[in-house]
Amino acid sequence: MSEPTQETIDALLPEIAELIVSALNLDMQPGEIEPDAPLFGEGLGLDSIDVLEVALVVSKRYGFQLRSDNEDNVRIFASLRALTAHIAAQRSK
């Protein structure tokens, strides 16, 4: 699996931010999500239900499953940038 380039990740960030905001009906603009801020707790404040919602939308849009039992989920959902990098990597398979 080839790693996505930084340019690919940066280009995809706004799309994934929009996906998160619309999937969760967040009262904010996608551009307000800090790419490297945590999605849980102190950062965006998402919880496990939010992650399931985002995973569902990602699987519908990009055609691969984000499984709830994946031990990499802590890393995958660490930040907007981490999630975007994971999606970019999966898409390039």
Side-chain angles (χ1 to χ4, degrees), residues 49-77:
I49 302 298
D50 295 328
V51 168
L52 290 174
E53 290 286 324
V54 170
L56 187 67
V57 174
V58 166
S59 68
K60 283 183 184 170
R61 179 171 298 180
Y62 298 106
F64 69 90
Q65 294 292 318
L66 284 169
R67 299 175 52 93
S68 59
D69 59 355
N70 185 339
E71 63 275 359
D72 287 338
N73 279 348
V74 171
R75 179 184 55 79
I76 293 168
F77 287 97

Side-chain angles (χ1 to χ4, degrees), residues 2 10 17 48 50 56 60 63 90:
S2 63
D10 287 344
S48 57
D50 295 328
L56 187 67
K60 283 183 184 170
Q90 293 297 316

Side-chain angles (χ1 to χ4, degrees), residues 9-28:
I9 294 168
D10 287 344
L12 196 56
L13 278 170
E15 186 177 319
I16 306 303
E18 168 64 37
L19 184 141
I20 291 171
V21 169
S22 64
L24 303 177
N25 295 313
L26 297 179
D27 189 21
M28 64 189 306

Side-chain angles (χ1 to χ4, degrees), residues 5-15 35 81 84:
T5 64
Q6 196 57 53
E7 291 76 29
T8 302
I9 294 168
D10 287 344
L12 196 56
L13 278 170
E15 186 177 319
R81 187 178 305 281
T84 302

